Amino acid sequence: MPHEGSLLQAAVVFLLAAVLTVPLAKRLQLGAVIGYLIAGVIIGPSVLGLIGDTESVAHISELGVVLLLFIIGLELSPKRLWVMRKSVFGVGMAQVLLTGIVIGAVALLAFGQSLNTAVVLGLGLALSSTAFGLQSLAERKELNSPHGRLAFAILLFQDIAAIPLIALVPLLSGSDQALDTHDSLVHGLRVLGVIAIVVIGGRYLLRPVFRIVAKTRIQEVSTATALLVVIGTAWLMELVGVSMALGAFLAGLLLADSEYRHELESQIEPFKGLLLGLFFISVGMGANIGLLFSAPLVVLGLTLLLIAIKLPLLFFIGRLAGGLGKQSALRLGLVLAAGGEFAFVVFKIGSDQGLFTPELYDLLILTITLSMAMTPLLFMALARWIRPKPKTTEVPDEYRDIQTDEPRVVIAGMGRMGQIVARILRAQKIPFIALDTAVESIEFSRSFGNVPVFYGDPLRPEILRAAKVHEAEFFVIATDDPDTNIKTAELVRKLYPHMKIIARARNRQHVHRLIDVGAQAVRETFYSSLEMSRQTLMGLGLSQAQADARIARFKRHDEQVLQAQHEVYDDEAKVLQTAREARVELAQLFEADRLEEEAVRL
């Protein structure tokens, strides 16, 4: 019973720490990984000491890295590797080797470490965090940018390189020196035998097993099978003295081309996320925060030294080998400059094998943790400086020279909505003029013929005068930026009080603000949403007349509600109350229409 109580207590502590710290870290733009690390520090022995058995937690949390490597193996289909071969095996290998040599040389020459320790230090610190790096890129929507794609390729090679590095650490520690030649040969044959079993089993046994399980259509059995494959393979590898991560990686690689790949990934992903979070919490728990107080200069100095070595090297590799521009190369360096989760695994094995002293191990773990914490801060500090400069596009004189004869309509913005308005006006032979600040839009519109679209900012009064707005009857604002639309409507209303203004609105709040400045607002997705709803109702069995009636009823009711909400739109509570009342009223109206239709049929 005490054991069960302590287990439940530990689970509550872990979940509560994650729920409190991770959202806070995300809100501060630090990322979820930093939240998990902070949670581990707080509940660990260095601060509150809520968890006593940190070793057991560390063993369980290693499954997070195992599952991560399985999913990485799943994503490494031969075709994808072939397409990315230059970036992965060219740039990725160059980064690991160059960074490992430089950091290893610093450890050997400047800090007096032994050669074997320096090798493990250099290669371990050359690795970056896959979870942290990909998350940072995803949060900034940069995964498909040039530096995002190169960062993914480098991280992919680092994950592959981590497998032999983990296997190399015991050899470098000298723990195998006591084995004689016969024992070494037996051990090697045992390892090769297990790898052969995994390869043959993965090729010929796993697919039939998954086929049988899939036919049962029982979700929990499918999940259990996926976990059995990963954990079972990892256990086999551990039995023969090889890293669990290698087994998981091999299993994923063998199933990369399987028809069950996506099913496997969806089954494993939730467990991977939770256990990887637990892994980072355990790392935070193992961080000796006392070093920050006893030797702050050493800890901060090593953290800054790590970033100061990796960031310029990554910048250099990104520029020369990756062909990136200066700003993209700098972003690449920032994403990958910190240490990674595999360094924790490598150094833990090194510490267990006696390669590192406990003091050095604590120092390394704290340095990597702080380097991760500093990366988001560096991004925020340098955000303005590394922001790409706006492109200055050369505008031909013919686009600037606004020529028009008494337009009846002026259109601001020739994007999707502006082009449709212009096409209809042109088909009706109604004279108009269009203004835009995007040369691409102007070129595209003019490519269809002599369309009167010119380069000009509608927020500049002299542009409006040149476009002869004073002679027009309607001013149509079709740009896709809500603030620009409101400012343009305000300026046109101020300069031309009698002008009829029709403006594109993003949402209901935007509608209210446009109405306040005297514009007629048209919601950009309202009518397309009504048409989608009409077709859906017809597909569900309503006749065309019934569907048209429902849509017409909704449109009239929504416009009445919008008009009523305009009186109170600055009071959120009243707007919500109006929306609730309108929802009930609409349901009653629809029910009344249905009963009326039934009465007519009878």
Side-chain angles (χ1 to χ4, degrees), residues 67 70-71 74 210 213-214 216-230 260-275:
L67 296 178
F70 175 73
I71 289 181
L74 276 180
F210 282 120
V213 171
T216 66
R217 299 184 183 277
I218 301 175
Q219 189 71 27
E220 54 268 29
V221 176
S222 180
T223 304
T225 306
L227 289 172
L228 175 63
V229 168
V230 183
Y260 302 103
R261 171 194 158 194
H262 296 293
E263 176 70 15
L264 279 168
E265 192 167 350
S266 65
Q267 300 284 0
I268 294 294
E269 189 68 37
F271 295 95
K272 183 214 74 173
L274 283 172
L275 288 171

Side-chain angles (χ1 to χ4, degrees), residues 48 141 340 372 397 422 489 504 588:
L48 298 180
K141 299 179 180 179
M372 286 184 174
D397 292 337
R504 174 181 178 177
Q588 292 172 349

Side-chain angles (χ1 to χ4, degrees), residues 410-412 475-479 484-485 488-489 492 501-504 514 519:
V410 177
I411 304 173
F475 195 99
V476 177
I477 306 173
T479 58
T484 300
N485 289 358
T488 303
V492 172
I501 304 172
I502 301 176
R504 174 181 178 177
L514 287 169

Side-chain angles (χ1 to χ4, degrees), residues 327-347:
Q327 292 178 352
S328 293
L330 182 57
R331 289 179 181 271
L332 175 73
L334 286 174
V335 169
L336 303 180
E341 57 266 7
F342 287 115
F344 295 130
V345 178
V346 169
F347 295 158

Side-chain angles (χ1 to χ4, degrees), residues 359-409:
E359 294 78 13
L360 178 58
Y361 173 73
D362 288 344
L363 201 56
L364 290 170
I365 295 301
L366 192 56
T367 297
I368 297 170
T369 305
L370 287 179
S371 71
M372 286 184 174
M374 285 183 65
T375 301
L377 301 178
L378 286 174
F379 262 113
M380 288 188 285
L382 299 176
R384 292 187 178 181
W385 184 59
I386 64 175
R387 184 181 299 162
K389 297 178 181 178
K391 295 181 179 178
T392 55
T393 308
E394 188 67 28
V395 182
D397 292 337
E398 60 180 302
Y399 293 175
R400 294 183 181 275
D401 186 15
I402 300 176
Q403 298 176 358
T404 181
D405 297 323
E406 299 183 0
R408 296 186 65 187
V409 180

Side-chain angles (χ1 to χ4, degrees), residues 588-599:
Q588 292 172 349
L589 290 172
F590 274 10
E591 181 64 18
D593 288 345
R594 187 184 64 80
L595 293 174
E596 184 178 341
E597 289 168 357
E598 289 182 356

Side-chain angles (χ1 to χ4, degrees), residues 301-360:
L302 287 176
T303 304
L304 292 173
L305 179 63
L306 175 63
I307 294 175
I309 292 175
K310 289 185 73 174
L311 201 154
L313 288 174
L314 284 160
F315 178 86
F316 172 76
I317 291 168
R319 289 281 287 161
L320 293 186
L324 299 178
K326 291 182 180 178
Q327 292 178 352
S328 293
L330 182 57
R331 289 179 181 271
L332 175 73
L334 286 174
V335 169
L336 303 180
E341 57 266 7
F342 287 115
F344 295 130
V345 178
V346 169
F347 295 158
K348 180 69 170 64
I349 297 171
S351 177
D352 293 341
Q353 298 287 342
L355 196 62
F356 303 134
T357 63
E359 294 78 13
L360 178 58

